[in-house]
Amino acid sequence: MKSAVPRALRNARRIFPRASSTRSSSLSSLPRLGNNRLSGTTTLTSQHRNFSATTGLRDIDEDKDRKWSTPLAKQLAAAIELTGPIPLASFMRMCLTSDIGGYYTGAIEKDRDQFGLKGDFVTSPEISQVFGELIGVWFLTEWLAQGRQSRGVELIEVGPGRGTLMDDVLRTIQSFPAMANSIDAIYMVEASPELRMAQKNLLCGEDAPMTESKVGYHSVCKYNALPIVWTETIKSIPTAPQKMPFIVAHEFFDALPIHAFELVSIPASKSEAPSSTDNSSPSSKTTTPTLQWREMLVSPTPPGSTHESLKTPATQSRETPPPDFQLTRATSSTRHSLYLPESSPRFRALKSTVGPGALLEVCPDASLYASDFAARIGGSPQHPKPKPSGAALILDYGPGDGTIPTNSLRGIRKHRRVSPFAEPGLTDLSVDVDFAGIAESATKASEGVEVHGPVAQGDFLELMGIRERAEVLAKRAVKEEKGRAVEKAWRRLVDRGPGGMGKVYQALAILPENGGRRRPVGFGGDVVQ
Ligand code: SAH
């Protein structure tokens, strides 16, 4: 008999050990996406000024005494003075994970972290423990469906934040000893030393030692004394054909740097000759205009700029100092504009379907991570795997209908939308995730995988039984107020309205290839035991 609640979960409800809380302190704070997604994005094209990739250094020379809003801003400006305007991806990477004051790597004050009421944003695992529990159950359903391998299971999380999601996943799996005993190791991919320590404290205890090796940092988990390894990239995690990796990425892909492009029409007389410097050569004289991609680059704002002069959109709070940087459109091709927009048939089609003015965001790191997940699950020519196994679950926000994200860069500070170019390093940056691009990269990287979804987070969680699990928790709550908070928290995760997280967040699964015969739970399939 089919049931919307996985049988595993129905059993699990009886034995989940902790029926404590909603994380109610976060309830009034905003998700990373903010509550006004459509009107709050930075309009790349409305703000940019034309800028040559090789000039534009005037501002810095003229303004040696300029006060930059953060040490990172000063360093970025110095770098741009040397190299010229930089790709948006380089700017994002520096702002998020640079050693000197990146958002995740040390810029924010010691007594404050990125998450929760006192931080900048709140995420689903921080809102309700049920979120992580259901992801644990999802892994369990895959482990059951794939033949209950008795060893070689690995849990891998990329971008684990405070470690809350992994803690909820592990606590849940503990209730199913056969699966718990099949786990060999836990891997956490984390760029931030502070968050790595927070995760270690939560998952291993404050007193547990952490040791360093060539691979990364090691400690021992409070659940089953499992080894945990922290690495800075997924590439550092060893691969082996007999391993069954269960991978989760929650609000990780939206923090990966993007390149942004705009399609422009170049009049016939100005068309670039492919490799000629001699404009009079016959090869440069074409008779029809050509379409070429131009990369959006980051350069300093003019000295003395104000929010008014820069026209900071009304949807972005002006409580920050005026942005130090702005987007500029390169006047000629750059290395990236020549190959990234050609890297997928979806991107190439924009020349004919949209034409001049088309916008495009490309995230090469997202392709690398998706390809890596797929190769671990399904094998690849470099790392063949006789029997594909494992699963990856990617939860994030972005279009669920295959549209390519555009104009999606956001700055977030203390639960408000701000300019992404204000206070570099103190401002969180995020973008919409190209789920169709992730699916394409995964299936291209491995013949041994198939992709399901994306489906709306609300649908995924409801099919996984969030309502039933939350009801049990609410009933167990001693205080009525607590019960109400549990209710409010889970409803927020599935709410399809503009302030909710049920529709704009999506879930996508990468599974071993099975000819589409078995759909995973939460994506329309039922539990297979
Ligand atoms: N998954 C968590 C945290 C999301 S915030 C949650 O839902 O609560 C993004 C996380 O990814 C943080 O832990 C951040 O430090 C990490 N991160 C961001 N960019 C990264 C990168 N390039 N490599 C590794 N980790 C990164």
Side-chain angles (χ1 to χ4, degrees):
M1 195 188 73
K2 293 210 170 205
S3 157
V5 188
R7 188 159 347 129
L9 177 61
R10 278 181 263 140
N11 296 338
R13 261 187 268 142
R14 279 179 258 123
I15 38 184
F16 273 122
R18 204 183 93 208
S20 63
S21 62
T22 171
R23 284 138 192 174
S24 53
S25 64
S26 328
L27 274 180
S28 55
S29 53
L30 278 184
R32 194 109 163 274
L33 188 53
N35 60 355
N36 192 357
R37 175 169 175 266
L38 293 176
S39 58
T41 51
T42 301
T43 306
L44 300 189
T45 43
S46 69
Q47 285 192 309
H48 75 247
R49 289 151 180 75
N50 274 339
F51 216 100
S52 158
T54 50
T55 58
L57 313 176
R58 181 187 57 88
D59 296 341
I60 306 218
D61 286 342
E62 276 181 10
D63 192 37
K64 286 215 163 49
D65 299 328
R66 178 166 177 176
K67 279 222 158 20
W68 300 96
S69 63
T70 59
L72 179 60
K74 188 171 178 191
Q75 220 217 5
L76 279 163
I80 294 171
E81 188 176 10
L82 286 175
T83 64
I86 55 173
L88 180 56
S90 311
F91 175 80
M92 285 184 73
R93 193 181 305 284
M94 291 291 282
C95 288
L96 291 172
T97 53
S98 136
D99 288 347
I100 48 125
Y103 179 74
Y104 287 112
T105 39
I108 54 180
E109 310 92 70
K110 279 267 173 287
D111 56 341
R112 176 176 169 264
D113 70 20
Q114 294 84 353
F115 307 87
L117 259 194
K118 289 197 199 136
D120 293 314
F121 55 83
V122 67
T123 57
S124 296
E126 302 294 336
I127 292 176
S128 169
Q129 70 181 73
V130 182
F131 186 80
E133 290 173 351
L134 294 180
I135 290 172
V137 172
W138 191 82
F139 285 152
L140 171 73
T141 61
E142 278 306 311
W143 177 80
L144 292 171
Q146 293 181 37
R148 306 164 178 242
Q149 193 165 313
S150 61
R151 63 170 70 92
V153 170
E154 299 171 331
L155 295 184
I156 301 176
E157 181 172 3
V158 292
R162 282 175 169 172
T164 311
L165 173 61
M166 183 57 89
D167 191 46
D168 291 335
V169 165
L170 285 167
R171 193 185 62 254
T172 303
I173 292 177
Q174 281 302 106
S175 301
F176 303 92
M179 180 174 182
N181 292 332
S182 74
I183 301 173
D184 282 0
I186 301 161
Y187 292 95
M188 310 278 267
V189 177
E190 176 55 71
S192 156
E194 288 79 20
L195 288 172
R196 180 173 68 218
M197 194 48 79
Q199 294 153 19
K200 194 278 297 173
N201 288 344
L202 181 65
L203 297 173
C204 310
E206 306 235 334
D207 299 333
M210 199 182 220
T211 56
E212 197 179 344
S213 79
K214 264 195 251 151
V215 178
Y217 296 84
H218 305 249
S219 194
V220 176
C221 182
K222 66 187 181 193
Y223 297 107
N224 257 7
L226 282 167
I228 311 195
V229 186
W230 281 264
T231 63
E232 278 174 26
T233 80
I234 192 143
K235 287 276 164 252
S236 310
I237 302 179
T239 52
Q242 68 282 9
K243 297 288 181 192
M244 183 184 252
F246 289 111
I247 306 168
V248 61
H250 180 253
E251 293 222 28
F252 171 73
F253 280 82
D254 67 86
L256 297 178
I258 55 159
H259 289 267
F261 304 96
E262 185 177 349
L263 192 60
V264 295
S265 176
I266 309 290
S269 56
K270 286 194 187 157
S271 288
E272 284 175 20
S275 61
S276 169
T277 48
D278 175 8
N279 282 340
S280 65
S281 85
S283 67
S284 68
K285 292 215 170 109
T286 50
T287 47
T288 47
T290 55
L291 289 176
Q292 291 183 8
W293 289 102
R294 290 287 177 262
E295 183 162 12
M296 306 305 295
L297 303 172
V298 176
S299 64
T301 48
S305 292
T306 59
H307 280 299
E308 287 68 33
S309 70
L310 296 170
K311 300 195 176 62
T312 302
T315 47
Q316 293 170 7
S317 160
R318 294 186 171 191
E319 279 166 29
T320 60
D324 295 305
F325 297 95
Q326 64 191 354
L327 268 185
T328 58
R329 192 179 67 202
T331 50
S332 53
S333 298
T334 58
R335 196 159 53 91
H336 297 107
S337 73
L338 290 174
Y339 83 93
L340 285 177
E342 301 299 324
S343 63
S344 158
R346 295 168 64 236
F347 305 159
R348 291 197 292 272
L350 292 171
K351 279 193 177 166
S352 54
T353 54
V354 182
L359 300 175
L360 170 62
E361 292 177 2
V362 184
C363 184
D365 286 12
S367 302
L368 290 177
Y369 271 89
S371 306
D372 183 288
F373 294 175
R376 274 172 208 279
I377 296 164
S380 65
Q382 295 79 33
H383 299 284
K385 196 166 170 176
K387 187 172 175 284
S389 65
L393 187 61
I394 297 165
L395 298 123
D396 225 307
Y397 47 80
D401 60 0
T403 346
I404 303 165
T406 53
N407 275 338
S408 77
L409 178 66
R410 282 176 287 270
I412 300 131
R413 189 108 210 259
K414 298 189 174 147
H415 304 274
R416 290 214 177 174
R417 296 292 272 277
V418 296
S419 163
F421 301 104
E423 299 189 290
L426 292 177
T427 300
D428 178 37
L429 299 179
S430 78
V431 294
D432 282 1
V433 171
D434 180 12
F435 281 98
I438 289 179
E440 187 185 315
S441 301
T443 46
K444 218 163 126 186
S446 174
E447 287 185 354
V449 299
E450 60 186 38
V451 173
H452 292 261
V455 299
Q457 166 166 304
D459 296 344
F460 171 75
L461 292 176
E462 290 200 289
L463 286 170
M464 289 298 301
I466 193 168
R467 182 182 298 266
E468 294 77 2
R469 169 69 182 143
E471 271 168 15
V472 173
L473 280 186
K475 270 198 205 119
R476 277 196 215 157
V478 186
K479 291 192 186 131
E480 201 182 310
E481 193 189 317
K482 192 90 169 195
R484 273 200 304 273
V486 170
E487 165 93 11
K488 199 170 159 195
W490 82 262
R491 286 198 183 277
R492 185 174 178 195
L493 300 185
V494 300
D495 181 358
R496 275 99 172 155
M501 297 161 92
K503 193 167 166 202
V504 284
Y505 283 75
Q506 312 284 325
L508 178 134
I510 305 174
L511 293 188
E513 206 278 324
N514 71 83
R517 284 183 299 276
R518 179 182 67 78
R519 290 161 88 185
V521 178
F523 293 80
D526 204 7
V527 179
V528 179
Q529 298 223 33

